[in-house]
Amino acid sequence: MSAPYLTAALYQFVDWPDYAALQPPLQAVCDAHGVRGTLLLAPEGINGTIAGRPEDVQAVLAWLRSDARLAQLKHKEAWGDRLPFYRMRVRLKREIVSLGVPGLNPAAQAGTYVKPQDWNAFIDDPDVVVIDTRNHYEVGIGGFERAVDPGTRSFTEFPAWVEQQSAPGGVLAGNPRVAMFCTGGIRCEKSTALLKSRGFDEVYHLEGGILQYLETVPREDSRWQGECFVFDERVAVGHGLEPGSHSLCRSCRMPLSAEDRDTPQYVQGVSCPYCHGTRNEAELQALAERERQMKLAAQRGQEHIGARLDSAPPRPAAVAAPAALQGPQAAPAGDRPVLYSFRRCPYAMRARLALAVSGTTCELREVVLRDKPAALLQASPKGTVPVMVLPDGAVLQESLDIMLWALEQNDPQRWLQPTHGTRDDMLALIADAQTRFKPVLDRCKYPNRYPDADPDRAWVEAQSWLLALEERLSQTPHLHGTHAALADMAIAPFVRQFAGIDPQRWEAGPWPQLRRWLADWQQGSLFTRTMEKYAAWREGSPVVLFPPAA
């Protein structure tokens, strides 16, 4: 086999109440075998893609199948000359594919499989409604001719589309025979379960999804037109799972055809016809710098941002470091971590909070964002803070990764052990803050950056999200129980930022418990310790140790 790397896409719906217990050993097995990719674990099963040397990928698959509940786990294989992923993450989720409909059980409710070799005849039947369950950007680069495109931006919009199209005049009115397809089969299993729960009797789906169809059905017999989007660095594949012609916009993550790349709006790594004009000048400069650093890394023979700098994953040995340590590599940081930080940045703030409470001593390098030091850009070409370089050279580029890494070393105040809910519940709330609150916060705080946005409407949307926190805090003193925990410390810096936009309006707002919660946090000794001022770091500056003495 000339291609040295194997990529395996896998999923299985299974009743899995103890799914969280699998995360640490599975991460360790993946690290020990040097595979990269992402695996999602949830109460409903497992989903993801991994890549590495064939024997290493097979070893991980064999380890998974050693669990009797996963003994029938199936996977799809593709070969390549390079790894399509840059790190390995095993993540806990509420769903392995998010639909947002509680109570579905795809393991028991899914529709009837149609084998790839039987699919053509099935979808040629004019009485069968053929539905593409993928998102609009995936549909845009390839599909089956008769398929109905729901036009969804995310899978969570699909239930509303089903309800709308089930009404008189809709394509699903009268409960017709329905055939569904998706990339690898997982969304179809869930969407067919949804239709079965809505009373549809004859619901079918393409076994193994588009990928198995492209692998099984000869090109000359195929009904497939175009390419199939895949969620890794291959971007798209064609018949026989050969790499396609599309590339990925590094700014908005849209798949780009040759025609897209031949437009004036396309600037490699910076913009494309889909996102042109949506970013401010600072964001464009950061993307351009990231692209420049990537090219420099390529000239040095180093891998893309996010990768280790060695040319291949490590051979199996002893169990590797925890998940948080897997990532890009920089020059070893000596005997203590190095933290690149900016005092007022809420992301950097929450990283410092976790480091301080865990008692983790690091070398702090205060960054002036308009004049980023070369050492920061070498460690993380994205050039945003916080960034932490660990003593072994591993780089943590996300504030939440830094928090979790620090707290997994030492968690004296039980930030990872809430009295109400679980760690996964806290991570879900933090993610919700990032996706729903942070965008409207930015539009309230920086209206000049978003001239097309309505600041008053943004304030209303922010208030709606904050009132959900108010409801939580009316039940317990903190977001997840009786003591401050990870969610409190990860979200408070952003609420502080919002409160500072218009202090009078904040004080008049309908959230007395939220004001109390924020005030208690800002008046605490931990916050004071993490907000000390430091001079900007330059190469050769004296070492500053953080956290400061209590």
Side-chain angles (χ1 to χ4, degrees), residues 419-441:
T419 55
H420 289 58
T422 65
R423 181 194 298 200
D424 200 25
D425 293 329
M426 292 193 293
L427 292 174
L429 182 60
I430 295 167
D432 194 55
Q434 180 66 28
T435 57
R436 294 182 54 208
F437 179 59
K438 182 63 167 62
V440 291
L441 163 62

Side-chain angles (χ1 to χ4, degrees), residues 263-508:
T263 62
Q265 294 83 16
Y266 175 68
V267 178
Q268 185 172 332
V270 178
S271 67
C272 76
Y274 301 100
C275 64
H276 180 76
T278 64
R279 297 191 180 278
N280 60 44
E281 188 60 32
E283 291 170 328
L284 292 174
Q285 289 178 3
L287 288 166
E289 177 60 26
R290 179 183 186 274
E291 183 66 18
R292 188 180 74 86
Q293 291 293 331
M294 286 170 55
K295 290 178 179 177
L296 290 174
Q299 292 171 7
R300 295 192 294 263
Q302 297 173 346
E303 290 189 55
H304 187 292
I305 176 175
R308 291 181 177 273
L309 297 190
D310 47 353
S311 59
R315 297 299 300 161
V319 170
L325 304 191
Q326 304 304 311
Q329 294 283 292
D335 60 354
R336 64 175 67 90
V338 172
L339 176 70
Y340 293 92
S341 179
F342 175 59
R343 179 176 175 270
R344 297 196 306 275
C345 170
Y347 292 104
M349 198 180 298
R350 67 189 192 181
R352 296 196 305 270
L353 288 165
L355 289 166
V357 80
S358 69
T360 303
T361 301
C362 65
E363 178 183 340
L364 186 139
R365 297 179 177 179
E366 183 73 8
V367 172
V368 177
L369 297 180
R370 64 177 178 273
D371 185 20
K372 298 169 185 173
L376 167 62
L377 296 174
Q378 181 180 2
S380 174
K382 70 186 181 74
T384 58
V385 293
V387 168
M388 175 170 275
V389 181
L390 300 177
D392 65 356
V395 180
L396 305 182
Q397 302 185 81
E398 302 294 338
S399 59
L400 196 56
D401 285 345
I402 297 173
M403 294 185 81
L404 293 171
W405 175 82
L407 295 169
E408 284 163 359
Q409 314 303 307
N410 186 31
D411 186 15
Q413 296 187 14
R414 297 181 295 120
W415 284 14
L416 298 180
Q417 302 174 45
T419 55
H420 289 58
T422 65
R423 181 194 298 200
D424 200 25
D425 293 329
M426 292 193 293
L427 292 174
L429 182 60
I430 295 167
D432 194 55
Q434 180 66 28
T435 57
R436 294 182 54 208
F437 179 59
K438 182 63 167 62
V440 291
L441 163 62
D442 289 345
R443 283 156 177 77
C444 293
K445 185 174 176 61
Y446 309 109
N448 293 337
R449 297 182 186 177
Y450 305 93
D452 295 333
D454 182 349
D456 290 332
R457 180 176 179 179
W459 186 281
V460 170
E461 292 179 11
Q463 177 171 288
S464 175
W465 193 85
L466 291 170
L467 286 174
L469 294 191
E470 174 72 12
E471 175 63 24
R472 283 176 174 269
L473 294 169
S474 68
Q475 305 297 321
T476 57
H478 300 279
L479 295 178
H480 281 275
T482 57
H483 69 267
L486 179 70
D488 300 270
M489 298 302 174
I491 293 172
F494 296 95
V495 178
R496 172 182 180 268
Q497 207 175 45
F498 181 83
I501 297 172
D502 187 339
Q504 286 187 319
R505 197 172 183 182
W506 165 259
E507 289 299 325

Side-chain angles (χ1 to χ4, degrees), residues 83-350:
L83 287 171
F85 304 106
Y86 304 127
R87 65 183 70 191
M88 183 67 225
R89 288 185 175 179
V90 179
R91 303 176 61 189
L92 302 180
K93 304 284 284 185
R94 292 183 178 181
E95 303 175 78
I96 57 174
V97 56
S98 296
L99 187 60
V101 178
L104 287 183
N105 183 0
Q109 294 176 300
T112 303
Y113 281 130
V114 177
K115 293 190 175 299
Q117 55 268 33
D118 300 326
W119 181 250
N120 289 351
F122 199 83
I123 65 174
D124 283 346
D125 184 341
D127 293 329
V128 173
V129 176
V130 184
I131 299 175
D132 191 334
T133 65
R134 300 173 303 154
N135 299 324
H136 72 290
Y137 61 90
E138 300 170 79
V139 177
I141 70 171
F144 292 106
E145 184 177 3
R146 284 194 57 237
V148 176
D149 174 14
T152 54
R153 294 168 298 176
S154 70
F155 194 41
T156 56
E157 295 178 0
F158 188 73
W161 182 84
V162 169
E163 182 175 354
Q164 178 190 44
Q165 295 299 320
S166 298
V171 297
L172 296 175
N175 290 12
R177 297 173 74 201
V178 177
M180 297 182 174
F181 66 92
C182 59
T183 306
I186 184 170
R187 277 178 281 189
C188 294
E189 296 220 19
K190 205 151 189 182
S191 56
T192 56
L194 172 69
L195 262 66
K196 297 274 281 189
S197 74
R198 298 291 192 267
F200 287 77
D201 297 321
E202 293 190 77
V203 186
Y204 304 85
H205 53 123
L206 176 58
E207 184 174 7
I210 300 163
L211 296 180
Q212 190 165 328
Y213 180 90
L214 293 176
E215 187 177 23
T216 303
V217 177
R219 184 189 301 265
E220 58 271 20
D221 298 330
S222 175
R223 298 286 199 279
W224 180 260
Q225 300 175 354
E227 296 177 352
C228 177
F229 181 84
V230 291
F231 296 88
D232 58 50
E233 288 299 307
R234 294 174 296 171
V235 183
V237 297
H239 289 92
L241 302 185
E242 291 293 324
S245 62
H246 285 75
S247 63
L248 204 64
C249 174
R250 298 295 171 185
S251 174
C252 68
R253 309 294 293 176
M254 285 290 286
L256 304 178
S257 66
E259 291 77 12
D260 293 328
R261 298 192 295 271
D262 196 29
T263 62
Q265 294 83 16
Y266 175 68
V267 178
Q268 185 172 332
V270 178
S271 67
C272 76
Y274 301 100
C275 64
H276 180 76
T278 64
R279 297 191 180 278
N280 60 44
E281 188 60 32
E283 291 170 328
L284 292 174
Q285 289 178 3
L287 288 166
E289 177 60 26
R290 179 183 186 274
E291 183 66 18
R292 188 180 74 86
Q293 291 293 331
M294 286 170 55
K295 290 178 179 177
L296 290 174
Q299 292 171 7
R300 295 192 294 263
Q302 297 173 346
E303 290 189 55
H304 187 292
I305 176 175
R308 291 181 177 273
L309 297 190
D310 47 353
S311 59
R315 297 299 300 161
V319 170
L325 304 191
Q326 304 304 311
Q329 294 283 292
D335 60 354
R336 64 175 67 90
V338 172
L339 176 70
Y340 293 92
S341 179
F342 175 59
R343 179 176 175 270
R344 297 196 306 275
C345 170
Y347 292 104
M349 198 180 298
R350 67 189 192 181

